[in-house]
Amino acid sequence: MRNVLIIAVAGILGLGLAIAVNAQPGPQGGGEGQVYGWQLMTEQERAEHRQRMRNAATAQERERLRREHHERMQQRAAERGVSLPEEPPAVRGGAKRQSSGGNGPGR
């Protein structure tokens, strides 16, 4: 009986830890997706960036916004003495997003 209780408590603690880790903001955990430099941005900045990207009318405009954002984050990282990867993450599902007008399923 004691062993069953220990296993149950360990399982509950492990589940809690897994939930906590997945709730952390970041590239895979908190819905930040592939936002370059997310860790240097406030939540409001991230929301504004996502909105600008959603509102971009063309792929060229989205690319221009990505380049400008990349430059700002590189400058911010240098000012704070931290490093970011030289290249931003690859665009996820770009072809799908363009063909659906950016309002497809899951948006």
Side-chain angles (χ1 to χ4, degrees), residues 30-44:
E32 296 311 317
Q34 298 283 323
V35 176
Y36 182 76
W38 65 268
Q39 61 274 63
L40 301 175
M41 301 168 71
T42 65
E43 182 55 41
Q44 181 176 349

Side-chain angles (χ1 to χ4, degrees), residues 1-105:
M1 179 67 173
R2 184 169 183 241
N3 288 343
V4 172
L5 182 60
I6 290 171
I7 291 170
V9 170
I12 291 169
L13 291 175
L15 179 60
L17 179 61
I19 291 169
V21 167
N22 284 326
Q24 294 300 312
Q28 304 303 319
E32 296 311 317
Q34 298 283 323
V35 176
Y36 182 76
W38 65 268
Q39 61 274 63
L40 301 175
M41 301 168 71
T42 65
E43 182 55 41
Q44 181 176 349
E45 289 173 319
R46 291 188 290 261
E48 289 169 357
H49 174 71
R50 285 189 298 267
Q51 192 62 44
R52 278 191 300 275
M53 294 299 283
R54 282 187 200 112
N55 291 340
T58 65
Q60 291 79 14
E61 186 178 355
R62 281 189 294 276
E63 183 56 33
R64 179 185 58 77
L65 290 170
R66 269 195 278 293
R67 280 193 315 269
E68 290 172 359
H69 175 74
H70 178 79
E71 291 170 10
R72 276 194 308 277
M73 291 301 105
Q74 284 288 321
Q75 181 178 11
R76 189 176 290 185
E79 290 168 356
R80 296 183 184 183
V82 297
S83 62
L84 289 173
E86 197 56 38
E87 293 298 316
V91 178
R92 291 183 352 211
K96 285 184 197 173
R97 205 175 303 137
Q98 291 171 11
S99 66
S100 67
N103 294 318

